[in-house]
Amino acid sequence: QVQLVESGGGLVQPGGSLRLSCEASGFAFSTFFMSWYRQVPGKERELIANINTISTRSTYDNSVKGRFTISRDNAKNTVYLQMNSLEPEDTAVYFCNAGRWGTVPFESWGQGTQVTVSS
């Protein structure tokens, strides 16, 4: 079955950086676009970044454009999110999933990884 395991979150000061990882299994990772989402309590999950299968095209929400970078390693079935210049508004639980921008082919979600930006 599809499994997604996010890691790398933590507490960071404003202006700091974090690198999130998401290890995927149970599907042909290299054939799927991959995305990162985030969610704060009481709000819907928000799509923030997407990457195509061969890492030649990535797409970002305006809220993270220029600060976050999505990447992937198909040999490791892993997608990454490098987050720089973090702001308190980036505080959320971060998730990954497969699919093109705006589509989610799998119902399964991981547990997410908490990112807290605070001084």
Side-chain angles (χ1 to χ4, degrees):
Q1 71 276 23
V2 171
Q3 287 195 322
L4 301 159
V5 180
E6 300 90 351
S7 62
L11 173 64
V12 63
Q13 292 188 342
S17 298
L18 281 175
R19 188 194 194 206
L20 307 183
S21 299
C22 170
E23 186 171 354
S25 61
F27 64 99
F29 179 84
S30 65
T31 68
F32 282 84
F33 283 50
M34 292 297 296
S35 295
W36 280 97
Y37 299 76
R38 65 186 180 187
Q39 188 172 26
V40 297
K43 292 191 175 182
E44 290 190 358
R45 198 166 290 169
E46 173 189 23
L47 173 58
I48 59 171
N50 181 263
I51 189 168
N52 69 347
T53 57
I54 56 173
S55 303
T56 56
R57 186 171 75 248
S58 55
T59 306
Y60 300 92
D61 184 79
N62 285 337
S63 63
V64 306
K65 194 175 296 183
R67 300 187 299 121
F68 291 9
T69 303
I70 188 171
S71 62
R72 65 189 296 161
D73 186 338
N74 287 343
K76 295 182 178 179
N77 284 5
T78 301
V79 61
Y80 304 97
L81 187 68
Q82 177 67 43
M83 305 188 297
N84 299 329
S85 303
L86 283 161
E87 304 168 350
E89 293 72 25
D90 296 317
T91 296
V93 180
Y94 285 71
F95 301 86
C96 71
N97 214 320
R100 294 175 180 263
W101 188 273
T103 68
V104 183
F106 305 126
E107 293 183 351
S108 298
W109 290 87
Q111 81 289 348
T113 186
Q114 175 71 48
V115 172
T116 303
V117 185
S118 175
S119 56

